[in-house]
Structures are given as structure tokens and as C-alpha cells.
Amino acid sequence: MAHNDGFRPIDRQECLRLLAGVPVGRIVYTRQALPAVLPVNFALDTDTSILLRTATGSDLARAVGGVVVAFEADAFDAANRSGWSVVVTGPATLVTDPAEHERLLRTGPRSWIPVQPDSSVQFVRIEPAMVTGRKLAAS
Amino acid sequence: MAHNDGFRPIDRQECLRLLAGVPVGRIVYTRQALPAVLPVNFALDTDTSILLRTATGSDLARAVGGVVVAFEADAFDAANRSGWSVVVTGPATLVTDPAEHERLLRTGPRSWIPVQPDSSVQFVRIEPAMVTGRKLAAS
């Protein structure tokens, strides 16, 4: 891969469609003044914001509330040298409304960790202020 | 996935072994004061630093020379809810030494983009000052 050529930009609608098809993305933020990145399960909410599920009081929850973050998902096929990546950039907020929290426990992103008490779950919402994507077609 | 539990830390040696097995990772940096993330082909150099191949004058090359970045690679299996991720954090430098550039053209990371003139290739080295990893075993 190079970075100034060879990739086709993807429009916002296709970006969201691709995001909806993968279970894991990566949140990018700043932790103790250093760049940080963490893979997370996610889901798209009905308004196309990104929803992450983390633990109450986690490093992630403490670091991203109220700040602008990036969120990336991708899929690449090394054999075909093809793939796509999508980056969503926007403010992250912790979900604090109890009704909203209840709704997301039912409909929001699932965890891959078995059995967590509902009370220890913290949802994070990323507003999709900027959505960019690019696709590398098989040559 | 959660973030404070369920994951087993991976030691540096296993992190490097896992990194050596995947062709694509994601560099995390700051661009115009916003968090940025970009998938890139990479290779481990003989000293275990991370080598990226980009284009001379690319946004990436301009943004990361001399600054601390994070680099992430991972592999997840949704069916088994298992996987790993590794994050390398350290200073990035542009490779400017001609002999080193020549060596990396021969032995360094390949691009997925067909045919680029050697003169337009810029290698970036990330010093692995901090290497952390975690593994989620199938439950």
C-alpha cells in the first residue's frame, strides 16, 4: 500500500455499509499525552453514530469522554492485495442517560467477554462528524 | 471485548512473533491536531523496529518524522471470539541514509500498489520503545 495513490475514495454511504459488516474496529485517542489505539467491538447506532462497549471506569472510558477521537475499521485480503479501510472522526461521549443505557444493553454492541454484570458496562458514542474511506481493488 | 479484564497480556517476544506474521498494521498519529490512523504494509527490521513504506512527501511522511507514534496490528476470529492485538509505541523517523534506503528497497516492506519508482518511496522507522500486547482466548 502507498498513501497518495492506488486507493479509490469511498463515499460516506458505502463507508457506513462496510462498517456495518465487521464486528471489531480500533479507537484512536490520546493517553497520558501519547497516541493510543485499542481494538473494540462496536455497532452502528440507528443515527449512524459508532457505539462502543467498555467497562465502567476503564482507561478507555476515562480517556475519551468529551474528546475528539478517531475510529478505524478495515478488511484486507493479502492474497489479492485488496481491501478497504474506513475512519470516523468525531467527539466521543459517555452514555449517561439511564434509558439510553438500558436500550443499548438490549440492542447495542455485544462483548466478546463472557458474562459482565450490566452495571459494569459503559457505552461510548462517537459522533460521525467526518467519515472517510478508501478501497484498494485487486490489481 | 472489554478492556480491564478477559485479556491475557502477551510478553514482548510473543508480540514481535505475532507482528511478524501479519502484513498490515495501522499507524496512529496526529494530523492537524486531530487523531489519525492509517493502515499500512509493514515489516520488522532485524533490530525489531517497525518499517513502513510510504510515498515521498505523503501526508504520513510529513506528519510522523521525529514524533512519537503508535503502531497497532491484530487478528481476530469473530466465530471463536478470540484474537490478539499488539501496540508498539515509539519515535518515528524518516530513513534518509542512502545506503539504508537501498537496503530497505531490497529487503524492506513491499507495497501492495503495483510499480512505484524507487525514488518515490519513503521508508519510516518506528523504534519499539514500548511493546504491549494482549490475547483473548476462545472461551
Side-chain angles (χ1 to χ4, degrees):
Chain A
M1 280 178 275
H3 306 296
N4 283 339
D5 58 348
F7 280 89
R8 178 172 70 76
I10 312 175
D11 67 26
R12 183 182 178 104
Q13 193 151 354
E14 189 176 358
C15 285
L16 295 172
R17 187 185 63 75
L18 289 165
L19 282 180
V22 293
V24 175
R26 298 148 199 100
I27 184 167
V28 170
Y29 59 107
T30 300
R31 187 172 50 210
Q32 297 171 348
L34 289 177
V37 50
L38 192 69
V40 282
N41 290 109
F42 77 103
L44 285 183
D45 204 357
T46 46
D47 64 355
T48 73
S49 61
I50 304 279
L51 287 168
L52 313 180
R53 182 187 177 120
T54 182
T56 307
S58 67
D59 289 345
L60 179 66
R62 280 198 300 267
V64 305
V67 305
V68 172
V69 302
F71 180 81
E72 191 265 357
D74 60 44
F76 291 101
D77 178 342
N80 288 323
R81 299 188 168 199
S82 64
W84 59 266
S85 80
V86 168
V87 178
V88 173
T89 309
T93 50
L94 304 184
V95 173
T96 55
D97 177 65
E100 182 72 351
H101 184 81
E102 283 302 313
R103 178 179 74 85
L104 297 179
L105 282 173
R106 292 193 309 276
T107 64
R110 301 281 130 193
S111 172
W112 285 5
I113 303 292
V115 192
Q116 291 172 300
D118 286 356
S119 62
S120 74
V121 173
Q122 173 69 62
F123 293 103
V124 176
R125 179 185 300 280
I126 304 171
E127 189 186 313
M130 191 162 66
V131 179
T132 59
R134 43 195 217 134
K135 194 171 238 180
L136 177 62
S139 55
Chain B
M1 276 178 275
H3 305 297
N4 283 338
D5 58 346
F7 282 89
R8 179 172 70 76
I10 313 175
D11 68 26
R12 183 181 178 104
Q13 193 151 355
E14 189 175 358
C15 286
L16 295 172
R17 188 186 62 76
L18 289 165
L19 281 180
V22 292
V24 175
R26 297 147 201 99
I27 184 165
V28 170
Y29 60 106
T30 301
R31 186 173 50 209
Q32 297 172 348
L34 289 176
V37 49
L38 191 69
V40 282
N41 291 109
F42 76 102
L44 285 182
D45 204 357
T46 46
D47 64 355
T48 74
S49 61
I50 304 278
L51 288 168
L52 313 180
R53 181 185 177 122
T54 182
T56 307
S58 67
D59 289 346
L60 179 66
R62 280 197 300 266
V64 305
V67 305
V68 172
V69 302
F71 180 80
E72 191 264 358
D74 60 43
F76 291 101
D77 179 343
N80 287 324
R81 299 187 168 200
S82 64
W84 59 268
S85 79
V86 168
V87 178
V88 173
T89 308
T93 50
L94 305 184
V95 173
T96 55
D97 177 65
E100 183 72 349
H101 184 82
E102 283 301 313
R103 178 178 75 86
L104 296 179
L105 282 173
R106 292 192 309 273
T107 64
R110 301 281 131 193
S111 173
W112 284 5
I113 304 292
V115 192
Q116 289 173 302
D118 286 356
S119 62
S120 74
V121 173
Q122 173 69 63
F123 292 103
V124 176
R125 177 185 301 280
I126 304 171
E127 190 186 313
M130 192 163 66
V131 178
T132 60
R134 44 196 216 134
K135 194 172 238 178
L136 177 63
S139 56

